[in-house]
Amino acid sequence: MDGTRLIDFSKGLLKNESGQGTTEYAILVGVLVVIAILAILAFREKVGELWNAIAEGINSL
């Protein structure tokens, strides 16, 4: 591949945005997962109490 073809190929790769939407959604999902984990860690005791209340309610049926 000569220099001109390599430059044209590189420009084509930079203009290709077909996977951009998928990448943005993956980043968004990743950020949401991190936020959910941080929320659970921050409210660990309350989440544990709620979980136990739900379990006791189900067991009493």
Side-chain angles (χ1 to χ4, degrees):
M1 207 180 262
D2 65 357
T4 306
R5 283 185 169 170
L6 183 59
I7 291 172
D8 290 341
F9 179 73
S10 300
K11 286 180 181 179
L13 285 178
L14 293 175
K15 289 182 180 179
N16 186 0
E17 298 178 0
S18 62
Q20 182 177 357
T22 304
T23 304
E24 290 172 354
Y25 282 118
I27 291 171
L28 178 63
V29 169
V31 168
L32 292 176
V33 167
V34 169
I35 290 171
I37 291 171
L38 290 175
I40 290 171
L41 291 176
F43 301 106
R44 185 181 321 174
E45 292 178 18
K46 290 290 184 184
V47 171
E49 291 173 11
L50 178 62
W51 188 260
N52 289 334
I54 292 170
E56 289 174 8
I58 291 174
N59 287 335
S60 68
L61 293 177

